[in-house]
Structures are given as structure tokens and as C-alpha cells.
Amino acid sequence: MTFFRSSKPDWRRLFANPGFPLYFVAMFVSLFGTGMNFAGVTLYVLAKTHSTVQVSFTVILLTLPRLLVPPLGGVLTDRVDRRYLSIVLDLGRAAVVLLAALLAWRDRLELWQLYGMVLLLGVGFAIYWSSSLALLQEVIPAPQLVSANSAVLIAVQGGMLAAGGLVGLVYERTGLAGILSIDGTTYVLSALCFYLLRRGYFPPQIAASPALFGSVLVSRPSENYLVGSAHSVLADIHEGLNYLRTQPTVLALGLTYACMMAGVISANVLVVALANNLLHVGARGYGFIESGWALGAVIGGFAAAPLSHRRPFQVLISALLLLAVGHALFPYATFLFMAIFMNAVFGACRAIVAVLTQSSILASVPNRLMGRTQSAFAFMATVLQVVMSFALGWLAEHASLQIAFLLLGAIYGAALLAALRVRTLDSTLPATEPTAA
């Protein structure tokens, strides 16, 4: 089957898909709250401890559950209705955050309690992210996955953009209690959107989703492999790992995405130190820098499909190269405006990489294996995030921010090396509409 390539996504047709507008809103409000929470906790811990190592500890706690949870979470995602699973995870996280907000409002929140909240949120997010991405595969027809991934990334980064612009003002006026209250409320709203998304119980499909690219990129597993059912958790995990072993290009795409995400998450350890220790702009300036990232990501989400229309592989490599070199030079941004601009460029590059890699992954992996595949990639990203977060925090505190940012650039360099294996991406990027056979 062949596909023609559109120069821009058909947004009207995309949002005409039943349930997708609610999915879009759910992701926007959820990530708005998450952005407020993450930035607020980072500012609070740095102000209370004056230690970038302690800040890195919060990042590690947030990501550590993804070392243990993904194997079971991936199996769970592939066995139950992903909409119901997302609702339960949203409501569970809301309860945890609102309890912490109450303790903070009564001035009884201890640092260990805050760390406990972060750890529990990490457990929920470890399942939620793969579950919500797998749900997208059920909501959107295969030919529209590039447009859908662009739109979801815009929702995610739009929420982060709004959070970054407001977090400094809210933190200065309400403290951590106000930040956490907003976050808890957004989880409740997100759960409501998922509840209204559709009716009935829909377990993951047995059949594979139609691939959006030819067999050059991903060889097809046998039909027996796709439809065979596993009756134990270990058998399900083994099936997912065996699938990745037989799909080296999917694995390369996942490693590219994992390295890129490791850089994105661990970078927060250094960005808050850059704002406070080098630029001396405080909470409000840190919020503006984070808003620059999110604004760039929104622009990158809109630009991903048109830019990758003809030469997607070159676009992917260029974006990763900019991330690698740019982060190594980031501590030499001596003015707030320069830092905001550079972070906006980084956000745009990250968006382009995410749309290209995730669209290709969603297009190729069978629906019934998507949860386990996404969880495997989350596991890889988490290992890198934990190592990078601690290393960056230690280097920033005991060596210099310049050396720490140089290491951050290196992780994006690793993503670049992984992407070089995906040499057939030029001819296999998912298209937005199929042509007649």
C-alpha cells in the first residue's frame, strides 16, 4: 500500500474523530497541572535545601518507579480498557496531590512527605503515559497518527507553556499549597474528560494496527505471533521483549526517544540552577525559561509535519544535533532573553523528534503490544534519567554548571547516534492520507 504526503495536517478532520477533542483537553489540563507541580516542587526544594543534589533527588524519585513499574504496567495496559485505566490513575494522583496540598496549607508538610508524593506520582505516571499513548492508537485512524501526535504534543506543551508562565506568579502568592491544589484539580478534570470520551468497555484489540509505512522499516511478525494469547504476566512480558528483538528499527526509534526524554527530564536539575545561580532571575525568571521551552514545543508541533514532508530523516538528525550542541552552550547564555530563546529552540527540536519517533512507533506496533512496547521504552528512558539526574546534580554542585551542561549535551548526542540507525525513515514516514491503491 502506498501513501501520499500532505504538507500540513488536516486539523478539522482530526478533531472530527469522536472522542479526540476530549482526549486533547485531558492531556492539556493534566500536563498543565503536572508542569505547575514539577516547577513548584523544584523551586520549593531548592529554596529549602539550597542544594542541586536535593533537586536531582526529586527528579530521581519521579522517574525511579519507571524502573520497576513498566513491566507490570505494560501488561496491565494491554489487558484492560485503557480509558478506565487512565481514569483510575488520574483520580489516584489527584487524591495524593490534594492531600499534600492540605498539609502544605496547614504548614505541616515535611520534606519526606513531599518526596513521598513525588514517588507516588512517578508510579502513576509510569503507567499513565504508556496507557494514554496506547489509547490514542484506538481513538485515531492510522493515516492520521502524525497529525494526532502533533496535536497531542501541542496539548502537552501548551499545558506546560501555560504552567511555566503562571508558576512563578502563583508560587510567589500562594506558595506550594496553591500549586498542588491546582495540580490536583487538573487530574480530576482530566479523569472527567476520559470518562466522557466514549461509552462501554473496550479491551485492547487483538489484531495489529495497519502500518503506515512499508516493510522496509519494520518486518511484519507472523499472524500467529500477533494473535496468540499469553495467559501469564511473565509470558506477556516475554512476548513483548521477543517482539522488540525481532524489530531492530522499532528498537532504534525507541532508544532515540528514550535518550531524548532522558535529556528533557534531567535538564530541569540544571535549568533551575541556571536561573538562580547564573542569571539570578528567581522563580519568575525560571518560569519564563520553562515557558520558552513549551512555546517552542508548541511551534515545533505545528511545524513537524510540514518540515518532515520531504526529508524526515534529515530533519530528525538536524533537530538532535541542535539539542546536543545547544545544551553544551546553554550555560553561556548571559541574559534572560537569550536563555528563553535558546530553550524555545530546544523545545521546538524536542517536539519534532517526538512527533517523528512516536508516530512511527504507533504506526508499526500492533495494538495489543503497544503498552508493553511503550513501557519498555519508558524503562530505558528511566535508567538514563536516574543516572543523568544524579550525575548532573553532582557535577553542578561539586564541579560547574558548564561541565554538567556538557554532559547533558552528550545524552542528546547518544540519541543522535541511535537515530542514525533509522536510515529508511525518509521513505517510510507515516503520511496523513492514503492514496488509492
Side-chain angles (χ1 to χ4, degrees):
M1 182 179 293
T2 58
F3 299 86
F4 76 82
R5 304 172 187 273
S6 174
S7 62
K8 62 180 180 179
D10 187 347
W11 299 107
R12 181 178 298 178
R13 187 169 183 179
L14 175 65
F15 279 87
N17 288 291
F20 184 74
L22 287 168
Y23 182 98
F24 181 90
V25 173
M27 297 301 289
F28 177 87
V29 298
S30 179
L31 269 295
F32 172 78
T34 298
M36 295 283 284
N37 183 311
F38 192 81
V41 169
T42 300
L43 291 168
Y44 179 83
V45 171
L46 185 64
K48 195 173 184 66
T49 65
H50 305 286
S51 170
T52 54
V53 171
Q54 290 294 320
V55 173
S56 70
F57 185 56
T58 64
V59 177
I60 290 172
L61 285 175
L62 184 65
T63 57
L64 192 60
R66 278 177 273 177
L67 289 174
L68 304 175
V69 174
L72 298 178
V75 173
L76 183 64
T77 298
D78 287 339
R79 287 190 173 191
V80 303
D81 188 316
R82 290 147 180 177
R83 179 176 69 100
Y84 283 110
L85 182 58
S86 298
I87 292 171
V88 171
L89 291 170
D90 269 333
L91 294 178
R93 292 187 294 171
V96 170
V97 173
L98 291 174
L99 177 60
L102 178 62
L103 291 174
W105 177 66
R106 299 181 64 181
D107 200 24
R108 297 178 61 181
L109 181 65
E110 302 290 339
L111 201 58
W112 68 268
Q113 295 169 327
L114 185 65
Y115 289 155
M117 179 203 74
V118 172
L119 182 63
L120 290 175
L121 290 179
V123 172
F125 192 78
I127 305 174
Y128 178 84
W129 189 245
S130 61
S131 175
S132 60
L133 286 177
L135 179 61
L136 177 64
Q137 193 184 38
E138 300 175 4
V139 174
I140 296 299
Q144 296 181 6
L145 281 175
V146 171
S147 301
N149 272 282
S150 297
V152 170
L153 191 142
I154 289 168
V156 168
Q157 295 300 334
M160 298 291 284
L161 170 63
L166 294 175
V167 66
L169 297 174
V170 175
Y171 186 83
E172 289 177 352
R173 285 165 172 76
T174 67
L176 187 61
I179 296 288
L180 297 180
S181 297
I182 293 173
D183 184 33
T185 303
T186 61
Y187 288 140
V188 174
L189 293 175
S190 176
L192 179 61
C193 288
F194 281 122
Y195 176 77
L196 297 173
L197 190 145
R198 67 187 181 197
R199 294 180 180 273
Y201 183 87
F202 296 89
Q205 298 175 7
I206 298 298
S209 297
L212 293 189
F213 38 70
S215 58
V216 177
L217 177 59
V218 180
S219 59
R220 294 287 186 159
S222 67
E223 187 66 19
N224 290 334
Y225 177 77
L226 289 176
V227 301
S229 60
H231 299 288
S232 71
V233 172
L234 290 179
D236 280 1
I237 294 174
H238 180 267
E239 183 186 24
L241 293 176
N242 187 56
Y243 172 76
L244 287 178
R245 280 196 296 267
T246 62
Q247 308 298 326
T249 312
V250 172
L251 185 59
L253 284 166
L255 186 58
T256 300
Y257 184 76
C259 289
M260 190 267 295
M261 286 305 301
V264 169
I265 301 299
S266 59
N268 288 279
V269 175
L270 300 184
V271 173
V272 67
L274 174 71
N276 283 279
N277 301 340
L278 290 185
L279 299 179
H280 306 290
V281 292
R284 190 172 300 185
Y286 171 66
F288 288 150
I289 294 174
E290 289 297 288
S291 294
W293 169 279
L295 177 61
V298 171
I299 295 172
F302 280 110
L307 285 177
S308 59
H309 174 55
R310 293 182 181 277
R311 299 182 179 274
F313 182 67
Q314 284 81 353
V315 171
L316 177 66
I317 295 301
S318 299
L320 288 170
L321 184 62
L322 278 173
L323 286 170
V325 175
H327 278 86
L329 299 176
F330 203 14
Y332 302 100
T334 54
F335 302 101
L336 178 60
F337 174 78
M338 186 184 301
I340 295 172
F341 175 77
M342 291 182 70
N343 220 26
V345 173
F346 300 156
C349 291
R350 182 265 178 189
I352 292 170
V353 174
V355 169
L356 287 174
T357 54
Q358 278 295 325
S359 297
S360 297
I361 291 167
L362 287 175
S364 59
V365 179
N367 181 271
R368 62 180 298 273
L369 291 167
M370 182 57 67
R372 281 164 283 178
T373 301
Q374 292 287 354
S375 294
F377 296 155
F379 179 85
M380 291 190 294
T382 301
V383 172
L384 293 170
Q385 287 167 20
V386 170
V387 173
M388 287 293 295
S389 295
F390 179 79
L392 293 177
W394 190 91
L395 286 173
E397 188 166 313
H398 295 92
S400 68
L401 271 177
Q402 287 79 6
I403 295 177
F405 271 106
L406 187 63
L407 178 61
L408 181 59
I411 193 65
Y412 289 112
L416 176 61
L417 293 177
L420 289 173
R421 295 191 60 191
V422 196
R423 295 188 178 278
T424 57
L425 186 61
D426 272 295
S427 60
T428 58
L429 179 72
T432 56
E433 296 291 345
T435 60

